[in-house]
Amino acid sequence: MAVLKPFKAVRPVKELAGNVAELPYDVMNTEEARTIGEKNAFSFIHVDRAEIDLEKDVNPYSVKVYEKARNNLFDMIKKRILVKDNKENLYVYRQIMNGRSQTGIVGCTSIDDYQKGIIKKHEFTLESKEKDRINHVDFCNANTGPIFLTYRAKGEINNIVSKVTAGEPEYSFVSEDGITHIVWVIEDENTINKLTNLFKEVSALYIADGHHRAASAVKVGLKRREENPDYTGEEEFNYFLSVLFPDRDLAIMDYNRVVKDLNGMETSELIEKIKEYFEVEKLDDEVHYKPDEKHTFGMYVDETWYKLTAKKGTFDENDPVLSLDVSILQNNLINPILGISDPRKDERIDFIGGIRGIKELEKRANNDMKLAFSMYPTTVQDLMKVADSGNVMPPKSTWFEPKLRSGLFIHELQ
C-alpha cells in the first residue's frame, strides 16, 4: 500500500514558471550553474546551487552555501516569485521531448514507505552526496527537488489523469533545451481522494532517478522526528516531494562507457581476448554503431566500430542483475580484460549519457580516451526486477530523459 499525500506547494507565479524552472542541481558543475545564474535572476539554480552567489573560492559544502540557499529561497517567497497554495492539492506534470510525453502525479510520499521498502531502490548512494542534500533540505526547511518515481500503470489512475489534463493547465512553457513542460492543479477533493485511495492499492513505487535526494529527504525526516519526540506522523517532515509516473510513459536511454587505455595491449590482442566471451564483427567505416537488441554492444577503437555479441554462458538470464548488459560488459570485458574492477572509483573509465549521441563517444575515444562502448538501454522492467529482488544495479545503468525541473514545486517541511 503506497501513500500519496496532497500538499500546499510553494510554486512560481504563473508568468514566471518558465524562468524559475531549472535542471536538477546534480547535472551540472559549479561553473555551468554560475553561467545559468548570471543569465537568469529568477532561476531556481540560485537555491539549488547557491555557491554561485558567493565568492568563487567558497567551498560548495560550507555552511555559508546552505545559509545562502535558505536566504535565496526565502527571498523568492518574499518577492512573491514563489507563492504557497492555500490548500493541499495534487498536481499533474507533463513533459514532452522529441514527440514523446511522460505525465506524472506530483504529491508527497512517505518516509515510512521508504523505510519499509514499499518505495524501492536500485542504486547505492554515497554518504558524501547524501550529506550535501541533507544540509540543503534541513537549512531550507523544504524539499526543493522532486524524486522521480514510477509504478506499474493502473487504468483507473490513467483515466483520472486523462480527465485532469483535458482541462486548462496552470503552466505551459518550453525550456531552452526544447522540452515542453505543462502543469495542472488538482484542487477537487473528490479527485484527490480517489487518487490517494487508488495508490493504496499500488504495492510498490520505484525510484527511477533521485536516489540521493530520496535518501537525504528521509534522513532529514527522521532527524526531525528525533527533534520532535511527540510527533504524530502527520507533520510535513514525514513526507517528501515526488512525481509518480506510470511505467508505460518512461523510456531509459543508453548509458555508454569510454576507457582511457587498452590495459597495456595492442588492439589486435584486445580483440583476440574479447573473442573468448563475445562474437566480434568488424563494421564498415561509415557505420556508427548503436545496439538495437539486448546482449549486443558497440566497441569503437582506432576509428573503427565493432559489434560484440555476448556468447552463451557469459551471463545468467535468470539473474536480474547478472543478465543486465551493463553487468555482462563489466564482468566479461571491462574487469577481466581491461582491469577495471571498480568502475565507481577507477579514473580510467568515464560514462556518457545517451542524450550526447554516438558522435560524442567517437570524439572522446579519438581524443582523451582510447576506446568506447555503446550500450543497449536498460528497460524500466529490468529496473523493477532488480529492485523487487532487493538487489542494486551496477553503477551508471540508467539515464532518464527528460529530467524533472526543480523549482516548479517546493514542499515545506513545517
Side-chain angles (χ1 to χ4, degrees):
M1 184 180 84
V3 173
L4 172 66
K5 179 184 177 299
F7 71 110
K8 297 178 181 178
V10 177
R11 56 189 181 87
V13 293
K14 194 168 187 175
E15 62 271 19
L16 292 178
N19 301 87
V20 172
E22 194 51 78
L23 286 164
Y25 76 98
D26 54 355
V27 301
M28 65 189 80
N29 60 37
T30 298
E31 287 310 308
E32 290 169 332
R34 197 180 298 277
T35 299
I36 293 170
E38 288 171 352
K39 292 180 180 177
N40 183 3
F42 296 110
S43 171
F44 203 71
I45 204 68
H46 294 281
V47 176
D48 265 355
R49 297 295 294 268
E51 71 268 21
I52 68 173
D53 294 326
L54 298 170
E55 54 274 13
K56 287 193 175 183
D57 61 348
V58 69
N59 184 328
Y61 306 114
S62 72
V63 169
K64 289 174 64 177
V65 173
Y66 303 117
E67 289 175 338
K68 186 63 174 174
R70 177 184 60 203
N71 293 341
N72 284 350
L73 175 59
F74 290 177
D75 191 52
M76 292 178 81
I77 294 171
K78 182 179 178 181
K79 291 179 178 178
R80 296 190 65 79
I81 297 167
L82 302 174
V83 178
K84 187 172 183 176
D85 282 342
N86 293 322
K87 64 179 289 293
E88 293 187 341
N89 301 316
L90 293 173
Y91 308 83
V92 173
Y93 180 19
R94 173 174 290 164
Q95 296 174 295
I96 305 172
M97 177 181 176
N98 298 329
R100 184 184 67 82
S101 69
Q102 57 186 36
T103 306
I105 298 168
V106 184
C108 287
T109 50
S110 166
I111 67 173
D112 290 317
D113 281 359
Y114 183 95
Q115 295 281 90
K116 293 184 289 189
I118 293 171
I119 297 175
K120 296 178 181 286
K121 301 164 278 189
H122 69 268
E123 285 183 6
F124 286 123
T125 54
L126 298 174
E127 186 177 353
S128 59
K129 288 188 175 182
E130 280 188 26
K131 186 176 180 181
D132 168 49
R133 285 301 102 175
I134 288 170
N135 288 331
H136 180 84
V137 171
D138 212 11
F139 272 78
C140 290
N141 188 44
N143 305 133
T144 60
I147 315 305
F148 189 155
L149 299 178
T150 188
Y151 60 94
R152 290 184 174 88
K154 193 174 179 66
E156 292 172 279
I157 296 175
N158 297 339
N159 291 338
I160 292 173
V161 171
S162 294
K163 289 179 181 177
V164 170
T165 56
E168 187 72 21
E170 177 74 2
Y171 307 141
S172 182
F173 61 91
V174 179
S175 51
E176 286 187 356
D177 53 6
I179 296 169
T180 299
H181 304 263
I182 311 173
V183 171
W184 292 263
V185 181
I186 304 177
E187 296 182 291
D188 178 68
E189 291 296 328
N190 288 333
T191 304
I192 291 172
N193 290 336
K194 284 178 184 177
L195 284 170
T196 57
N197 286 328
L198 283 168
F199 271 95
K200 290 177 183 177
E201 301 172 9
V202 173
S203 59
L205 302 173
Y206 300 84
I207 300 176
D209 204 3
H211 281 78
H212 287 93
R213 289 193 293 276
S216 301
V218 170
K219 288 185 177 179
V220 172
L222 296 174
K223 177 175 178 284
R224 295 291 178 93
R225 285 181 174 183
E226 289 181 4
E227 295 167 351
N228 299 272
D230 295 328
Y231 76 91
T232 65
E234 297 301 313
E235 298 87 355
E236 292 299 323
F237 58 71
N238 295 287
Y239 304 91
F240 57 91
L241 178 63
S242 301
V243 187
L244 294 73
F245 292 91
D247 57 348
R248 67 175 192 175
D249 275 18
L250 302 186
I252 301 176
M253 297 190 75
D254 42 307
Y255 212 157
N256 303 305
R257 279 91 169 112
V258 286
V259 179
K260 189 172 282 293
D261 57 68
L262 304 188
N263 199 24
M265 292 175 284
E266 297 295 328
T267 301
S268 58
E269 183 183 359
L270 170 69
I271 291 173
E272 285 305 309
K273 289 194 174 186
I274 290 173
K275 286 180 178 178
E276 181 180 349
Y277 305 98
F278 299 86
E279 301 291 343
V280 180
E281 177 187 353
K282 185 178 180 180
L283 302 176
D284 294 337
D285 290 343
E286 65 273 12
V287 171
H288 307 276
Y289 184 65
K290 185 175 181 178
D292 56 7
E293 60 180 332
K294 281 188 173 185
H295 309 335
T296 61
F297 310 82
M299 183 177 74
Y300 181 78
V301 61
D302 295 340
E303 299 186 353
T304 301
W305 277 102
Y306 297 82
K307 177 182 178 180
L308 311 182
T309 304
K311 291 182 177 180
K312 289 185 177 180
T314 57
F315 60 94
D316 181 354
E317 194 65 76
N318 296 316
D319 188 299
V321 178
L322 295 181
S323 61
L324 294 172
D325 281 357
V326 288
S327 297
I328 294 169
L329 189 68
Q330 176 64 32
N331 296 339
N332 295 284
L333 199 164
I334 291 177
N335 182 12
I337 297 175
L338 295 174
I340 298 172
S341 60
D342 188 349
R344 285 185 179 85
K345 299 178 180 178
D346 200 312
E347 294 182 356
R348 293 172 56 221
I349 190 168
D350 198 5
F351 304 88
I352 300 175
I355 191 73
R356 304 293 296 274
I358 292 296
K359 290 293 185 70
E360 180 67 15
L361 295 183
E362 295 176 353
K363 176 183 173 183
R364 291 291 302 276
N366 292 336
N367 290 285
D368 61 314
M369 308 299 266
K370 178 62 178 174
L371 74 162
F373 296 99
S374 57
M375 310 289 294
Y376 185 76
T378 304
T379 68
V380 175
Q381 287 66 40
D382 290 332
L383 182 156
M384 289 179 164
K385 286 178 183 177
V386 171
D388 285 338
S389 72
N391 290 300
V392 295
M393 289 183 170
K396 311 298 184 182
S397 294
T398 58
W399 182 279
F400 283 92
E401 288 286 349
K403 304 292 185 187
L404 302 184
R405 274 1 188 222
S406 295
L408 288 176
F409 313 95
I410 296 99
H411 168 238
E412 292 184 326
L413 301 186
Q414 58 187 44

